[in-house]
Amino acid sequence: MVNRFMTARSTVAMTSRRVPAIVTLAAMALLSGLTTGAAAKQARPAQASEATAPREAGEPIMAIVSIKTQQVTFYDAEGWIFRAPVSTGIAGRETPAGVFAVIEKDQDHHSTLYDDAWMPNMQRITWNGLALHGGPLPGYAASHGCVRMPYDFAEKLFYKTWIGMRVIISPDDAAPVAFSHPTLFVPNAQALAAAPARAETLAREAEEAARTAEEAKQAAATAAREAALLTASLRKLEELKRRADAALAFADKVLAAAKTDQAKARAEEAKQKAALKAAEATTQLDAAKADATSKFDAAPAAKDAAKAAQARKADTAKAAREAKLLLEPVSVYISRATQKLYVRRNTHKPWPDGGEVFDATIEVPVTISNPDRPLGTHVFTAMAQSGGGLRWTVVTIDNGDDPKNALDRITIPKDVLDRIAPTAVPRSSIIVSDEPLSSETNYRTEFVAVLNNQPQGGFVTRRPTVDVPVASGDEWGNNGGGFFFFQRPQPGTMRPRAGQYYQPMQPRWW
């Protein structure tokens, strides 16, 4: 018992001596944990929360994704309307920062890259696989390059967005700021007012020209068939006349060889019959030739008329298409890398493989002063009408020159301005960037441009879209070419951008 008591006392003593040490260690651990937690909070920004503006939301004009704060914000003409946390790409598969637009929507999309993974309310921004969609949000970047949004939020926005809506992915926080500048499009009130009626008139003319062309085509085909039938008929009549003439000549020979009166009488009778048939054959052939002359002359005339009608059909269709495009928002991209200006407008023509076709008939050189000095990347957007003009904002996602100086340095060709500015409408935009267009810019996209100074893992790990046709100046549809392939860039014509190049439009008919 003594031994037990002594052992117990010893244990109590040892325990009592350890208490201060344990308390000290616990305090140090707690302090260390608090310090580490504070450092973690400083390293990682506070998690974004979902929010809705305290007003009635208008139609979304743009979405801005901040990779830094893992947040997406949608804006209408008056400001932000919806905001939510997101999850962008992990290291090695980062979501690329840059300028995009919605090019396809699929409410129940399943990935073709990642084991049929469910990506509900998908809004595609590149054809190589980047999109905004509903998905799990762990509170940090966790995707393979897409932008995951809360499931309910993605469903709500799916029904509000539209093909061609601007999507800006920024390395840091960015927001549209009110902006004005003489270079920005100023519409003409009279041109704007007249544009719908003009488009309707030209559409009717195009329909009438199409009907006329079809009728002329059928008339030419009928004339050609009739000419072919007449040719065959004439050949048959010529053969009958040749035989009748041969029979008459033979009857002459028989008559000349006849020795008796009876033989001469029979030969004379045969000759008269042969002569009558030869005369009938000659009459029929002459009549057929006379009738055929006008029809033979009509065939080339009908063919020429059909060709002229077809040309008018193409011209009126092109004019109608351009007039209709003038009613659509216009997007302009100006690249310091290529010293070019590009124009895109949505034709709203569905493509069988998904998305809609964008018109890309304007691509011209542009003058940029001090071309070796960076411009930055600035997105100027016409948010709404303002009096007789437009109210503009700017979003900057890559610093270079400030937005005003960047526009001051650019001279847009007058003929391009004359085609675009008079009928510019809200949602039109001008993008100024040091970057060239990505090779993902094609006939089913608006513009795709990625920032070279930011990680692009989730972009470059995907198979790029290659050898795709782009809209030409011809009419879309079954009545013209309408497409040519992008060509591979020639050495020295592009500035490297992480393996992504826009391929210049050099016609090669499809």
Side-chain angles (χ1 to χ4, degrees):
M1 181 174 296
V2 173
N3 290 338
R4 289 178 183 174
F5 177 75
M6 292 298 294
T7 302
R9 288 181 58 187
S10 175
T11 303
V12 170
M14 291 176 64
T15 303
S16 64
R17 285 196 297 272
R18 286 176 184 172
V19 168
I22 292 172
V23 171
T24 301
L25 289 172
M28 292 176 64
L30 178 61
L31 179 61
S32 175
L34 290 173
T35 305
T36 303
K41 287 182 180 179
Q42 291 177 355
R44 182 185 295 173
Q47 186 174 353
S49 59
E50 190 171 335
T52 300
R55 61 179 176 84
E56 184 177 354
E59 183 180 45
I61 293 178
M62 71 177 77
I64 302 179
V65 176
S66 170
I67 295 175
K68 178 181 178 180
T69 58
Q70 294 290 284
Q71 179 176 263
V72 62
T73 306
F74 287 78
Y75 295 85
D76 68 3
E78 303 303 323
W80 77 273
I81 48 176
F82 304 111
R83 185 171 286 145
V86 298
S87 183
T88 59
I90 60 175
R93 294 182 179 272
E94 296 88 350
T95 301
V99 181
F100 307 86
V102 174
I103 55 177
E104 185 187 39
K105 299 172 68 175
D106 185 357
Q107 191 174 8
D108 188 27
H109 183 71
H110 291 261
S111 174
T112 57
L113 294 176
Y114 302 111
D115 299 325
D116 202 38
W118 187 43
M119 298 178 176
N121 298 295
M122 183 274 292
Q123 301 189 54
R124 184 186 299 277
I125 59 175
T126 70
W127 289 108
N128 68 2
L130 292 180
L132 284 67
H133 62 79
L137 302 182
Y140 49 84
S143 79
H144 284 171
C146 286
V147 177
R148 298 181 192 164
M149 302 183 293
Y151 287 106
D152 291 344
F153 184 85
E155 183 178 8
K156 175 173 65 176
L157 267 297
F158 184 84
Y159 297 100
K160 297 180 182 296
T161 59
W162 39 278
I163 300 296
M165 188 196 76
R166 174 74 60 229
V167 177
I168 300 171
I169 301 178
S170 174
D172 301 306
D173 288 336
V177 177
F179 187 83
S180 62
H181 192 278
T183 300
L184 300 176
F185 305 141
V186 178
N188 180 286
Q190 291 181 340
L192 273 176
R198 181 173 180 270
E200 186 177 347
T201 298
L202 289 174
R204 285 198 302 268
E205 291 180 359
E207 290 176 1
E208 180 61 31
R211 284 194 295 269
T212 301
E214 183 61 28
E215 291 171 359
K217 179 181 177 181
Q218 292 178 1
T222 300
R225 283 196 302 271
E226 289 180 349
L229 290 172
L230 280 172
T231 300
S233 178
L234 286 174
R235 287 176 181 169
K236 184 182 290 185
L237 289 174
E238 287 172 347
E239 178 62 20
L240 290 175
K241 182 179 182 302
R242 185 186 67 76
R243 291 180 181 178
D245 289 343
L248 179 58
F250 179 73
D252 275 336
K253 290 182 180 179
V254 171
L255 180 58
K259 300 298 183 183
T260 65
D261 292 341
Q262 187 178 7
K264 287 180 181 181
R266 287 197 300 270
E268 184 65 35
E269 183 180 0
K271 179 181 176 182
Q272 289 177 0
K273 290 180 180 179
L276 181 61
K277 288 184 178 181
E280 289 177 353
T282 300
T283 300
Q284 289 178 355
L285 180 60
D286 290 344
K289 284 182 177 180
D291 183 53
T293 300
S294 60
K295 293 185 177 180
F296 282 146
D297 292 341
K303 184 177 180 180
D304 291 342
K307 187 181 296 185
Q310 189 68 26
R312 173 166 170 71
K313 173 187 172 183
D315 291 342
T316 55
K318 180 180 179 182
R321 181 175 61 85
E322 290 180 350
K324 185 178 179 181
L325 285 175
L326 291 180
L327 304 178
E328 294 293 322
V330 60
S331 294
V332 174
Y333 189 92
I334 299 172
S335 168
R336 184 175 70 89
T338 61
Q339 306 280 297
K340 281 190 174 183
L341 177 150
Y342 311 84
V343 177
R344 284 285 195 278
R345 271 190 169 114
N346 193 353
T347 68
H348 297 293
K349 177 181 174 63
W351 192 252
D353 292 336
E356 297 177 358
V357 175
F358 284 77
D359 177 81
T361 53
I362 301 178
E363 178 180 320
V364 296
V366 68
T367 302
I368 302 175
S369 64
N370 300 316
D372 295 330
R373 198 174 85 221
L375 289 168
T377 296
H378 314 281
V379 182
F380 305 90
T381 306
M383 304 298 284
Q385 289 183 331
S386 178
L390 295 168
R391 175 164 55 82
W392 291 81
T393 64
V394 62
V395 177
T396 296
I397 62 170
D398 187 23
N399 292 322
D401 226 336
D402 65 70
K404 178 184 179 303
N405 288 339
L407 284 180
D408 284 343
R409 291 167 53 192
I410 297 168
T411 303
I412 298 178
K414 186 178 182 304
D415 61 327
V416 174
L417 280 175
D418 291 343
R419 290 179 65 180
I420 295 173
T423 56
V425 296
R427 302 191 314 192
S428 295
S429 62
I430 300 176
I431 304 162
V432 173
S433 181
D434 297 310
E435 309 294 343
L437 288 172
S438 163
S439 62
E440 282 299 304
T441 300
N442 59 59
Y443 71 113
R444 287 189 293 161
T445 69
E446 195 229 38
F447 293 121
V448 179
V450 294
L451 301 186
N452 181 55
N453 57 7
Q454 298 296 320
Q456 300 173 23
F459 196 80
V460 299
T461 57
R462 286 162 164 77
R463 185 174 61 185
T465 304
V466 295
D467 289 339
V468 290
V470 67
S472 77
D474 291 331
E475 177 189 5
W476 288 101
N478 300 322
N479 301 314
F483 302 98
F484 51 78
F485 277 117
F486 281 139
Q487 301 295 305
R488 299 284 184 183
Q490 299 301 315
T493 63
M494 292 292 170
R495 185 171 60 167
R497 280 293 181 269
Q500 302 299 327
Y501 303 96
Y502 170 75
Q503 302 170 356
M505 297 190 297
Q506 300 171 359
R508 176 159 64 105
W509 292 110
W510 186 28

